Amino acid sequence: MTAPRNGFHAARWNEPLIQDLSEPGARGLLPGAVEPAIRAGAGDALARVPAHVRRAAPPALPEVTQHRVVRHFTRLAQMTMGFDVTTDMMGTCTMKYSPKVHEHIVRAARLADVHPGQDPETLQGVLAILYRFNRMMCAIAGMDEFTFQPASGAQGIYTNACLIRAYHAARGELGRRDEIITTAFSHPADAATPHVAGFKVITLMPGPQGYPELAALEAAVSPRTAGLMLTNPEDTGQYNPAIRAFVERVHAVGGLCAYDQANGNPLLGIARAGDAGFDLCQFNLHKTFSAPHGAIGLGCAAVGVKEPLRRFLPRPVVTLDGTRYGLDDDRPDAIERIRAFLGNVPTVVKAYAWVMSLGTEGLRAVAETAVLNNNYLLANIRRIKGVAIPWPENTAPKLEQVRYSWEPLHNDTGVTTMEIEQRMVDYGVQHYMPSHVPVLVPQPFTIEPGESLTIEEMDHMIATLRAIAAEAYEEPEVVHHAPHHASVARVDDGIANDPATWAFTHRALAKKRAAWSKPRSAAAKRHAGY
Amino acid sequence: MAAFEHPYVPNASAGPRRRLLDALGIADVEALYAAIPADLRVKGVLDLPAPLPAEQDLRRHVAELIEQNRGAGDLLIFRGAGCWPHHVPALCDEITGRGEFLTAYAGGTYSDHGKNQAVFEFQSLIGALVGLDVVTPPTYDAAGAANSALRAACRVTGRSGIVVPALMNPDRLEQMRGFVRPTAQPRAVRQDPATGQLDLADLEAKLGPDVGAVFLEQPGFLGTIETQGAAIAERVHAAGAMLVVGVDPLSLGVLAAPSDWGADFVTGDIQPLGIHMHAGGGCAGFIATRDEARLVAELPTTLISAAPAEGGGVGFAWSTPERTSYDTRHEATDYYGTTQWLWGIGAAVYLSLLGPKGLAELGEVIMQRSLYAARAVARVPGVRVPHLDRPFFKEFVVTFDKPGATVTAINRALLAHGIVGGHDVSRLWSGGPAMLMCVTETHDRAAIDRLAAALAEVLS
């Protein structure tokens, strides 16, 4: 049996803050001087700025040599558990291998040092990729047109809300259609962004199968329904087989249906949003399509729509006239721009390269393997003492992830899912994702293996969870006080939640550090209801 | 389905796939898709191009497409308007290319200590530039940052009206219109086209009792420098509203921090701070404000706080997540998700390298080069630079006397000389054809002289 990684210790450099490395006079980079002719021609350009508008004292940036800056950030990198370093099965995040060749491709000067406002004649390569990938995404999703402008899943879901708003506004119905329906286990952005866009939001709660019953939708739909926005499978990994009926019911009252495909990895080549009747959908290219998560971004949501909604997509849209690609900026019905320019173009290029590497057979292999891996983990994790699988009535296989529960373990030992999360780091793996809000599963943990990992890596994760569960039963203090081998000793995060003590910058830290030793206010309760 | 050999999907190969199926006691993966109704299943295969599974084939294919672009290595780019051609230090690429950062995601205090420290340092370095104690991690872009700050200011003041400068970046204004649509439509305050200065009388007239937030750009979209900042802030505050300022952070080595003259929120784009343009993918924003609980409560983003570690060290924790849309869900007043943190790490490297001296020197270099360029261009017959006698930073308006001239035609002709001309601002300028020219530290004398000579030829 595979053993957990014993004896691990993360790099712990005790690296000071960069400001605290400052040495007067040290230089990291010289901006260079202007040529004498420029100086002669421009004179003292700064003197033209009135004194009261000029900076009186230089900004309090550190003075550090270049080599020390290299070391500083390299050490910080070493204290970060990226997917390149270790196993990360954070549920809902679709962590997977980001091919290195993509990084080398996008560093090309003719992509990196290109201005978005250049004449399309000089952007033919990037426009070709955007155009072709648009058609490929249409094939993958069963949609008619995509935009890659949104820079994250949440922004893509927000875009869906704006498109639904524009559609009803164009029909003169927005005033009386002001409700969006979502589900409790859809990503929080499916509830949040329509509210930001001006809608009231109704959240359907799960039934005995772990997802909402059709009856719950029946009770929620009305002539006020503007749309349905949800994930399927939900963040529990459970697929709602009545999804077609959900869509039809919302269509029957005149609403639109937006499919959040943040959990789309198990469905590539298997089932398409368009075929289920959805009018809009969105994929996260930084998750499902392998573009790296970038330490929380550079993301990209590919937002796809059916024909009737095409005219509402934000400008510019890439066009093809014979053999030349162009940008259509003249779109009178379009929603307002969601993000600057064309979005995170390098992220789209990486996603394009990924699909080009795999092809249709490969995408299906990705989906099936992600599902296979997940069910292998499930079969093993469910045997770990202290684990429960919610909604036992639902015997259908899970798709790409599972929301598990440590409730039995917590009842037996007092150890919490958050403590186990912190203990995982001691074994040299990235921690799991407990749960989004609302926390309906007691002591939740959510695991999504993806398709990149070998059986050995999965066995290692299983062994790690089993070892920690055993510790909870046999020596719970070890888990209560974890982590022990991380890049930093245990941190008092109550300090970070109290206005009297939190410090978001070095300058704030200088003022408030003294308050860290004082007794804290009641406001400094630790977050999280699990 | 048959086994599939591909390095990205190890368990699709025959051996591991068999082992997994056997472990689950099933003959085929189909059994795991039982929940999906048959009529929703894809019939046949997706209509996709034939794949290029060999790395050399894939690389050649994508590289050939990318090589059809032309970039700063081929062209002289005098275009800014929200994304600017600046020098990117090698170390910025080196660090943002580190696999540990590149492939990290939502790890917390212990697993991603280094990432959290780097982003805390980003917050700190921006805080030093703008003179404020609270700074967010990177947001989507400058407009998104301004939008969040404006709606936050409205919630703090309990009002909904938003006032913006008439000559602000139209693309950013478009983003703003979309975002504030449920609560308000921005109203424009006149700016004097001759000087770029805000019309204070018009500002007072627009500052009705419903106005919660006023937006100001410094430098202005047209490159001009607002000199009445304190007077503007005074009027905004007297009317019970808050002032949100959008800055070019690179200008803050030479220009006063907006907090010094009364800004309540400072926002901006960090692309100039060591991030390649990436056809606009280099953009990323930030929001800064004072350390007041009522202001922090309205910020939509994660905030990384320093916190004490056992034994006397410093660690980092995500503060007050209950503020964010992850927790507020259907009551959310703003939204948040994956943003542009990698560029924040790049910007932290950049500011650490430049230091206080470097940033001041660079600001001066940019002002000298852009002034030299403006004067050179203004000497071309038929070309005017309306703000030549005023201070400006990095960008300036260029107008053309030639009857029937259009910026589109001039730029097309410049392109034949290997030059990307300025952004078309004719509609905003409303005084004939006008472009917004951008000159940075990357434009040496030869480049600028080439621009002037090409313009002379194009217009002759």
Side-chain angles (χ1 to χ4, degrees), chain B residues 376-384 399-402 452-453 455-460:
Chain B
V377 165
R379 282 194 292 272
V380 174
V383 175
R384 292 172 201 274
T399 65
F400 303 93
D401 296 338
K402 191 176 175 181
L455 260 184
E457 198 177 319
V458 163
L459 295 169
S460 63

PDB file of all heavy atoms in Angstrom, chain B residues 376-384 399-402 452-453 455-460:
ATOM      1  N   ALA B 376       8.733  67.429 -31.366  1.00  0.00           N
ATOM      2  CA  ALA B 376       9.164  66.983 -32.691  1.00  0.00           C
ATOM      3  C   ALA B 376       7.969  66.831 -33.623  1.00  0.00           C
ATOM      4  O   ALA B 376       8.003  67.249 -34.786  1.00  0.00           O
ATOM      5  CB  ALA B 376       9.925  65.660 -32.568  1.00  0.00           C
ATOM      6  N   VAL B 377       6.912  66.259 -33.096  1.00  0.00           N
ATOM      7  CA  VAL B 377       5.709  66.036 -33.905  1.00  0.00           C
ATOM      8  C   VAL B 377       5.050  67.378 -34.244  1.00  0.00           C
ATOM      9  O   VAL B 377       4.565  67.585 -35.357  1.00  0.00           O
ATOM     10  CB  VAL B 377       4.747  65.100 -33.140  1.00  0.00           C
ATOM     11  CG1 VAL B 377       3.367  65.130 -33.731  1.00  0.00           C
ATOM     12  CG2 VAL B 377       5.298  63.679 -33.122  1.00  0.00           C
ATOM     13  N   ALA B 378       5.060  68.291 -33.267  1.00  0.00           N
ATOM     14  CA  ALA B 378       4.408  69.588 -33.480  1.00  0.00           C
ATOM     15  C   ALA B 378       5.116  70.407 -34.555  1.00  0.00           C
ATOM     16  O   ALA B 378       4.523  71.333 -35.126  1.00  0.00           O
ATOM     17  CB  ALA B 378       4.364  70.363 -32.160  1.00  0.00           C
ATOM     18  N   ARG B 379       6.362  70.086 -34.823  1.00  0.00           N
ATOM     19  CA  ARG B 379       7.089  70.817 -35.877  1.00  0.00           C
ATOM     20  C   ARG B 379       6.710  70.347 -37.279  1.00  0.00           C
ATOM     21  O   ARG B 379       7.047  70.996 -38.267  1.00  0.00           O
ATOM     22  CB  ARG B 379       8.604  70.666 -35.660  1.00  0.00           C
ATOM     23  CG  ARG B 379       9.146  71.564 -34.563  1.00  0.00           C
ATOM     24  CD  ARG B 379      10.677  71.643 -34.615  1.00  0.00           C
ATOM     25  NE  ARG B 379      11.299  70.377 -34.275  1.00  0.00           N
ATOM     26  CZ  ARG B 379      11.612  69.991 -33.024  1.00  0.00           C
ATOM     27  NH1 ARG B 379      11.371  70.803 -32.000  1.00  0.00           N
ATOM     28  NH2 ARG B 379      12.163  68.825 -32.797  1.00  0.00           N
ATOM     29  N   VAL B 380       6.031  69.216 -37.353  1.00  0.00           N
ATOM     30  CA  VAL B 380       5.622  68.716 -38.670  1.00  0.00           C
ATOM     31  C   VAL B 380       4.505  69.616 -39.189  1.00  0.00           C
ATOM     32  O   VAL B 380       3.545  69.888 -38.457  1.00  0.00           O
ATOM     33  CB  VAL B 380       5.134  67.250 -38.561  1.00  0.00           C
ATOM     34  CG1 VAL B 380       4.576  66.766 -39.891  1.00  0.00           C
ATOM     35  CG2 VAL B 380       6.264  66.360 -38.077  1.00  0.00           C
ATOM     36  N   PRO B 381       4.628  70.088 -40.431  1.00  0.00           N
ATOM     37  CA  PRO B 381       3.587  70.976 -40.966  1.00  0.00           C
ATOM     38  C   PRO B 381       2.216  70.300 -40.936  1.00  0.00           C
ATOM     39  O   PRO B 381       2.092  69.121 -41.292  1.00  0.00           O
ATOM     40  CB  PRO B 381       4.047  71.217 -42.410  1.00  0.00           C
ATOM     41  CG  PRO B 381       5.512  70.941 -42.409  1.00  0.00           C
ATOM     42  CD  PRO B 381       5.746  69.906 -41.373  1.00  0.00           C
ATOM     43  N   GLY B 382       1.229  71.025 -40.490  1.00  0.00           N
ATOM     44  CA  GLY B 382      -0.137  70.491 -40.453  1.00  0.00           C
ATOM     45  C   GLY B 382      -0.450  69.675 -39.221  1.00  0.00           C
ATOM     46  O   GLY B 382      -1.537  69.115 -39.103  1.00  0.00           O
ATOM     47  N   VAL B 383       0.500  69.613 -38.294  1.00  0.00           N
ATOM     48  CA  VAL B 383       0.286  68.839 -37.064  1.00  0.00           C
ATOM     49  C   VAL B 383       0.296  69.794 -35.875  1.00  0.00           C
ATOM     50  O   VAL B 383       1.127  70.695 -35.803  1.00  0.00           O
ATOM     51  CB  VAL B 383       1.386  67.769 -36.886  1.00  0.00           C
ATOM     52  CG1 VAL B 383       1.235  67.045 -35.558  1.00  0.00           C
ATOM     53  CG2 VAL B 383       1.357  66.777 -38.043  1.00  0.00           C
ATOM     54  N   ARG B 384      -0.626  69.607 -34.964  1.00  0.00           N
ATOM     55  CA  ARG B 384      -0.634  70.416 -33.743  1.00  0.00           C
ATOM     56  C   ARG B 384      -0.663  69.506 -32.515  1.00  0.00           C
ATOM     57  O   ARG B 384      -1.255  68.424 -32.547  1.00  0.00           O
ATOM     58  CB  ARG B 384      -1.879  71.311 -33.685  1.00  0.00           C
ATOM     59  CG  ARG B 384      -1.904  72.397 -34.723  1.00  0.00           C
ATOM     60  CD  ARG B 384      -3.266  73.102 -34.710  1.00  0.00           C
ATOM     61  NE  ARG B 384      -3.459  73.767 -35.988  1.00  0.00           N
ATOM     62  CZ  ARG B 384      -3.012  75.001 -36.253  1.00  0.00           C
ATOM     63  NH1 ARG B 384      -2.370  75.695 -35.326  1.00  0.00           N
ATOM     64  NH2 ARG B 384      -3.211  75.529 -37.431  1.00  0.00           N
ATOM     65  N   THR B 399      -3.306  66.649 -33.265  1.00  0.00           N
ATOM     66  CA  THR B 399      -4.400  66.928 -34.209  1.00  0.00           C
ATOM     67  C   THR B 399      -3.817  67.255 -35.577  1.00  0.00           C
ATOM     68  O   THR B 399      -2.633  67.600 -35.700  1.00  0.00           O
ATOM     69  CB  THR B 399      -5.283  68.088 -33.726  1.00  0.00           C
ATOM     70  OG1 THR B 399      -4.489  69.282 -33.723  1.00  0.00           O
ATOM     71  CG2 THR B 399      -5.816  67.828 -32.334  1.00  0.00           C
ATOM     72  N   PHE B 400      -4.674  67.173 -36.588  1.00  0.00           N
ATOM     73  CA  PHE B 400      -4.215  67.314 -37.969  1.00  0.00           C
ATOM     74  C   PHE B 400      -5.071  68.334 -38.709  1.00  0.00           C
ATOM     75  O   PHE B 400      -6.302  68.295 -38.641  1.00  0.00           O
ATOM     76  CB  PHE B 400      -4.286  65.954 -38.676  1.00  0.00           C
ATOM     77  CG  PHE B 400      -3.490  64.893 -37.952  1.00  0.00           C
ATOM     78  CD1 PHE B 400      -4.095  64.064 -37.010  1.00  0.00           C
ATOM     79  CD2 PHE B 400      -2.120  64.763 -38.179  1.00  0.00           C
ATOM     80  CE1 PHE B 400      -3.361  63.119 -36.330  1.00  0.00           C
ATOM     81  CE2 PHE B 400      -1.381  63.804 -37.496  1.00  0.00           C
ATOM     82  CZ  PHE B 400      -2.004  62.984 -36.569  1.00  0.00           C
ATOM     83  N   ASP B 401      -4.381  69.232 -39.398  1.00  0.00           N
ATOM     84  CA  ASP B 401      -5.088  70.298 -40.115  1.00  0.00           C
ATOM     85  C   ASP B 401      -5.561  69.867 -41.493  1.00  0.00           C
ATOM     86  O   ASP B 401      -6.458  70.460 -42.058  1.00  0.00           O
ATOM     87  CB  ASP B 401      -4.157  71.518 -40.312  1.00  0.00           C
ATOM     88  CG  ASP B 401      -3.755  72.130 -38.979  1.00  0.00           C
ATOM     89  OD1 ASP B 401      -4.493  71.903 -37.989  1.00  0.00           O
ATOM     90  OD2 ASP B 401      -2.712  72.808 -38.927  1.00  0.00           O
ATOM     91  N   LYS B 402      -4.922  68.844 -42.028  1.00  0.00           N
ATOM     92  CA  LYS B 402      -5.151  68.483 -43.423  1.00  0.00           C
ATOM     93  C   LYS B 402      -6.636  68.214 -43.682  1.00  0.00           C
ATOM     94  O   LYS B 402      -7.244  67.366 -43.010  1.00  0.00           O
ATOM     95  CB  LYS B 402      -4.338  67.222 -43.755  1.00  0.00           C
ATOM     96  CG  LYS B 402      -4.266  66.896 -45.228  1.00  0.00           C
ATOM     97  CD  LYS B 402      -3.336  65.686 -45.420  1.00  0.00           C
ATOM     98  CE  LYS B 402      -3.340  65.241 -46.872  1.00  0.00           C
ATOM     99  NZ  LYS B 402      -2.476  64.071 -47.070  1.00  0.00           N
ATOM    100  N   ALA B 452       8.442  61.389 -36.372  1.00  0.00           N
ATOM    101  CA  ALA B 452       8.223  62.733 -36.911  1.00  0.00           C
ATOM    102  C   ALA B 452       8.441  62.747 -38.426  1.00  0.00           C
ATOM    103  O   ALA B 452       7.654  63.352 -39.175  1.00  0.00           O
ATOM    104  CB  ALA B 452       9.158  63.722 -36.214  1.00  0.00           C
ATOM    105  N   ALA B 453       9.483  62.088 -38.873  1.00  0.00           N
ATOM    106  CA  ALA B 453       9.772  62.056 -40.308  1.00  0.00           C
ATOM    107  C   ALA B 453       8.660  61.328 -41.066  1.00  0.00           C
ATOM    108  O   ALA B 453       8.230  61.782 -42.145  1.00  0.00           O
ATOM    109  CB  ALA B 453      11.118  61.366 -40.550  1.00  0.00           C
ATOM    110  N   LEU B 455       5.536  60.979 -40.151  1.00  0.00           N
ATOM    111  CA  LEU B 455       4.336  61.820 -40.144  1.00  0.00           C
ATOM    112  C   LEU B 455       4.428  62.888 -41.225  1.00  0.00           C
ATOM    113  O   LEU B 455       3.459  63.168 -41.946  1.00  0.00           O
ATOM    114  CB  LEU B 455       4.174  62.486 -38.773  1.00  0.00           C
ATOM    115  CG  LEU B 455       3.194  61.876 -37.786  1.00  0.00           C
ATOM    116  CD1 LEU B 455       3.119  62.745 -36.542  1.00  0.00           C
ATOM    117  CD2 LEU B 455       1.798  61.693 -38.397  1.00  0.00           C
ATOM    118  N   ALA B 456       5.617  63.499 -41.320  1.00  0.00           N
ATOM    119  CA  ALA B 456       5.816  64.553 -42.324  1.00  0.00           C
ATOM    120  C   ALA B 456       5.572  63.987 -43.722  1.00  0.00           C
ATOM    121  O   ALA B 456       4.904  64.610 -44.562  1.00  0.00           O
ATOM    122  CB  ALA B 456       7.230  65.120 -42.206  1.00  0.00           C
ATOM    123  N   GLU B 457       6.075  62.806 -43.958  1.00  0.00           N
ATOM    124  CA  GLU B 457       5.910  62.205 -45.287  1.00  0.00           C
ATOM    125  C   GLU B 457       4.448  61.826 -45.542  1.00  0.00           C
ATOM    126  O   GLU B 457       3.909  62.067 -46.623  1.00  0.00           O
ATOM    127  CB  GLU B 457       6.810  60.972 -45.385  1.00  0.00           C
ATOM    128  CG  GLU B 457       7.057  60.548 -46.817  1.00  0.00           C
ATOM    129  CD  GLU B 457       8.002  59.360 -46.892  1.00  0.00           C
ATOM    130  OE1 GLU B 457       8.985  59.342 -46.132  1.00  0.00           O
ATOM    131  OE2 GLU B 457       7.739  58.462 -47.702  1.00  0.00           O
ATOM    132  N   VAL B 458       3.832  61.262 -44.527  1.00  0.00           N
ATOM    133  CA  VAL B 458       2.437  60.826 -44.674  1.00  0.00           C
ATOM    134  C   VAL B 458       1.515  61.999 -44.951  1.00  0.00           C
ATOM    135  O   VAL B 458       0.552  61.899 -45.725  1.00  0.00           O
ATOM    136  CB  VAL B 458       2.015  60.092 -43.380  1.00  0.00           C
ATOM    137  CG1 VAL B 458       0.522  59.983 -43.270  1.00  0.00           C
ATOM    138  CG2 VAL B 458       2.681  58.723 -43.331  1.00  0.00           C
ATOM    139  N   LEU B 459       1.809  63.139 -44.348  1.00  0.00           N
ATOM    140  CA  LEU B 459       0.908  64.287 -44.453  1.00  0.00           C
ATOM    141  C   LEU B 459       1.265  65.200 -45.628  1.00  0.00           C
ATOM    142  O   LEU B 459       0.535  66.147 -45.917  1.00  0.00           O
ATOM    143  CB  LEU B 459       0.923  65.098 -43.150  1.00  0.00           C
ATOM    144  CG  LEU B 459       0.369  64.350 -41.931  1.00  0.00           C
ATOM    145  CD1 LEU B 459       0.670  65.102 -40.656  1.00  0.00           C
ATOM    146  CD2 LEU B 459      -1.131  64.118 -42.084  1.00  0.00           C
ATOM    147  N   SER B 460       2.400  64.928 -46.274  1.00  0.00           N
ATOM    148  CA  SER B 460       2.832  65.863 -47.330  1.00  0.00           C
ATOM    149  C   SER B 460       2.012  65.645 -48.599  1.00  0.00           C
ATOM    150  O   SER B 460       1.454  64.587 -48.825  1.00  0.00           O
ATOM    151  CB  SER B 460       4.307  65.641 -47.637  1.00  0.00           C
ATOM    152  OG  SER B 460       4.500  64.340 -48.145  1.00  0.00           O
TER     153      SER B 460
END
